[in-house]
């Protein structure tokens, strides 16, 4: 460990061993792929055998990089030479910290110029987004990646707090026709991806199997395109309803959802409803035939009604329920009803105190339950889930 974590001369017996006594390169590569970037750099300086193992493609195929954990000047010649081997990248950075953000932008720009073989990109922001900042530098770098990485199959921007727009969606559509998954359902307060650009995306990327959007980005026509004969099977549709545009979006017809579910019987829909939605919008969104598998409710108004609706209509599909609401006897009764009807539940997380009968109902009626957050007394946050043995 001393040799890996430090740039000083190595003292480990593996570094000093004769060539025939060293670990095989494939074993070293297996070890090195789990190291953070700075330790990979250190490992490459130990000896020639370690350098060969630390720069082989197996180490870099699936790479996680945190810009907050690495030193300045991450894009050393060593890292730059290895970018060609990166197929799937999970990149973390903190947008409010200039060095972290600059490192992320630098790395994405380098990827755009060096790795046409990139298959998957997932961006995750930590900390707070700076005020009055639209994230143009980061988004420009993502645009560049989408222009260059024609082999890109998976793009996940759910943890990117900046406002995404039509231009980015159209660039992904035109630059990455082989996309299998695209997640744009991030936590922005403004929805700027229109239904028109989503339709172009669906036409240009016929193999999309997983799609995450804000409700305002969806349309009746999009459901029809997804349900068209010959369309590749759609496995996941994640819908976030969190901004004013979502509240004003026209309702998606129940018959459109029914046709989509008939065409793709394995379809799972994740529905997330945030406080910005008025009660009348909630009743328009939760259609009976939507195959909801995950339902997250964090509403400023009535939560009891949506829980009862889910118990009545989503009993066959619901697997995860998350509720953030004020405690009440009415909510407890609705949760008990849902427990009795939704035997396939795997997880239930309620972030308010519930009565003991609620916990008993879920444990008695949901044999597949794997974890739950059902507190009988108030505790200090964060509340941790209980895992079922």
């Amino acid at each position: 460990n001393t040799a890996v974590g430090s740039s000083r001369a190595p003292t480990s017996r593996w570094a000093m061993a004769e060539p025939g006594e060293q670990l095989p390169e494939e074993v070293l590569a297996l070890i090195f792929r789990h190291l953070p970037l700075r330790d990979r750099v250190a490992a490459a300086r130990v000896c020639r055998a370690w350098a060969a193992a630390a720069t082989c493609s197996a180490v870099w195929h699936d790479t996680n990089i945190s810009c907050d954990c690495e030193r300045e000047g991450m894009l050393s010649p060593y890292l730059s030479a290895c970018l060609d081997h990166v197929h799937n990248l999970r990149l973390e950075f903190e947008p409010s910290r200039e060095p972290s953000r600059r490192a992320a932008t630098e790395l994405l720009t380098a990827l755009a110029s060096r790795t046409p073989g990139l298959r998957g990109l997932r961006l995750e922001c930590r900390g707070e987004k700076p005020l009055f900042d639209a994230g143009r530098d980061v988004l420009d770098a993502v645009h560049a990646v989408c222009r260059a990485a024609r082999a890109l199959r998976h793009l996940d921007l759910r943890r990117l707090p900046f406002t995404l727009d039509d231009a980015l969606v159209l660039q992904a559509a035109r630059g990455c026709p082989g996309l299998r998954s695209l997640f744009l359902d991030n936590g922005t307060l403004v929805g700027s991806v229109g239904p028109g650009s989503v339709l172009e995306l669906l036409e240009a990327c016929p193999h999309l199997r997983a799609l995450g959007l804000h409700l305002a980005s969806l349309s009746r026509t999009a459901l029809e395109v997804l349900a068209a004969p010959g369309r590749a099977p759609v496995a996941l549709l994640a819908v976030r309803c969190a901004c004013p545009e979502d509240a004003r979006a026209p309702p998606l017809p129940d018959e459109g959802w029914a046709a989509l579910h008939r065409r793709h019987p394995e379809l799972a829909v994740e529905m997330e409803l945030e406080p910005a939605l008025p009660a009348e919008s909630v009743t328009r969104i939760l259609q009976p035939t939507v195959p909801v598998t995950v339902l997250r409710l964090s509403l400023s108004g009535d939560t009891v009604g949506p829980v009862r609706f889910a118990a009545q209509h989503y009993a066959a599909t619901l697997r995860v329920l998350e509720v953030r609401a004020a405690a009440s006897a009415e909510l407890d009764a609705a949760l008990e009803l849902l427990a009795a009807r939704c035997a396939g539940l795997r997880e239930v997380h309620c972030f308010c105190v519930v009565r003991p009968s609620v916990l008993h109902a879920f444990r008695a009626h949901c044999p597949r339950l794997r974890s739950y957050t059902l507190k009988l007394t108030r505790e200090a946050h964060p509340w941790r889930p209980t895992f079922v043995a």
Side-chain angles (χ1 to χ4, degrees):
N1 289 339
T2 302
V4 173
S6 169
S7 58
R8 294 196 301 267
T11 58
S12 76
R13 78 180 189 89
W14 291 113
M16 304 301 294
E18 294 299 321
E21 298 174 345
Q22 292 193 9
L23 290 174
E25 181 175 309
E26 57 268 24
V27 176
L28 287 172
L30 249 159
I31 297 171
F32 293 162
R33 68 184 299 179
H34 296 290
L35 296 179
L37 183 59
R38 62 178 179 273
D39 289 344
R40 294 185 191 181
V41 173
R45 294 171 178 163
V46 168
C47 62
R48 290 180 180 177
W50 280 35
T55 55
C56 76
S57 60
V59 173
W60 295 92
H61 191 280
D62 299 304
T63 296
N64 296 331
I65 294 179
S66 172
C67 294
D68 298 321
C69 297
E70 309 300 346
R71 290 188 286 265
E72 290 283 342
M74 270 194 344
L75 280 176
S76 62
Y78 162 72
L79 174 59
S80 183
C82 295
L83 287 179
D84 292 337
H85 303 309
V86 176
H87 281 199
N88 300 296
L89 174 65
R90 177 172 168 264
L91 179 62
E92 297 181 9
F93 67 100
E94 189 171 337
S96 60
R97 293 183 62 248
E98 180 58 29
S100 177
R101 181 176 177 143
R102 185 171 59 250
T105 306
E106 179 186 1
L107 180 55
L108 289 171
T109 303
L111 276 171
S113 63
R114 292 291 305 277
T115 54
L118 187 69
R119 299 292 193 276
L121 176 61
R122 178 176 177 177
L123 300 183
E124 295 196 6
C125 287
R126 306 298 185 192
E128 298 295 326
K129 183 182 78 168
L131 294 175
F132 311 113
D133 192 337
R136 194 67 259 167
D137 52 349
V138 177
L139 293 175
D140 284 346
V142 176
H143 272 258
V145 171
C146 290
R147 279 195 300 272
R150 291 192 62 82
L152 195 68
R153 298 293 182 264
H154 308 284
L155 180 60
D156 189 342
L157 305 178
R158 281 175 289 189
R159 298 292 180 263
L160 201 63
F162 310 120
T163 299
L164 310 177
D165 57 18
D166 289 325
L168 178 59
V169 177
L170 294 176
Q171 183 60 69
R174 296 162 186 167
C176 313
L179 273 177
R180 302 297 195 271
S181 68
L182 176 62
F183 292 98
L184 305 169
D185 47 326
N186 64 340
T188 183
L189 299 178
V190 179
S192 295
V193 176
S197 62
V198 171
L199 286 176
E200 186 165 335
L201 172 77
L202 296 178
E203 295 290 350
C205 304
H207 302 292
L208 265 176
R209 293 179 49 84
L211 182 62
L213 296 169
H214 278 262
L215 179 66
S217 304
L218 271 177
S219 64
R220 175 199 296 260
T221 308
L223 295 184
E224 293 172 352
V225 170
L226 289 171
R231 184 83 192 184
V234 181
L236 174 63
L237 189 57
V239 183
R240 184 179 173 92
C241 314
C243 56
E245 291 79 7
D246 296 328
R248 295 192 293 266
L252 297 173
D254 195 46
E255 59 270 20
W257 284 111
L260 182 62
H261 195 200
R262 284 194 301 270
R263 176 67 183 81
H264 306 289
E266 302 302 317
L267 173 67
V269 174
E270 298 182 2
M271 195 77 73
E272 186 170 358
L273 309 184
E274 293 289 323
L277 294 178
E280 59 271 18
S281 296
V282 175
T283 58
R284 289 189 290 107
I285 294 167
L286 294 180
Q287 299 287 347
T289 60
V290 183
V292 175
T293 56
V294 178
L295 180 60
R296 298 186 176 94
L297 301 173
S298 181
L299 300 169
S300 56
D302 174 48
T303 302
V304 174
V307 171
R308 289 187 174 275
F309 188 93
Q312 180 179 358
H313 297 288
Y314 305 148
T317 58
L318 193 63
R319 298 294 178 263
V320 178
L321 174 70
E322 183 177 304
V323 175
R324 298 178 184 272
S328 69
E330 292 79 12
L331 179 59
D332 286 343
L335 289 169
E336 290 175 26
L337 173 65
L338 185 136
R341 290 176 174 264
C342 301
L345 270 174
R346 269 61 161 186
E347 299 180 33
V348 57
H349 305 286
C350 187
F351 294 93
C352 65
V353 175
V354 299
R355 62 194 182 195
S357 56
V358 174
L359 174 56
H360 174 75
F362 281 105
R363 298 213 60 159
H365 299 298
C366 304
R368 299 179 183 178
L369 200 64
R370 297 180 304 200
S371 67
Y372 60 84
T373 307
L374 297 166
K375 303 296 183 181
L376 307 184
T377 58
R378 189 167 298 280
E379 300 177 9
H381 285 278
W383 287 1
R384 304 297 183 189
T386 298
F387 294 93
V388 179

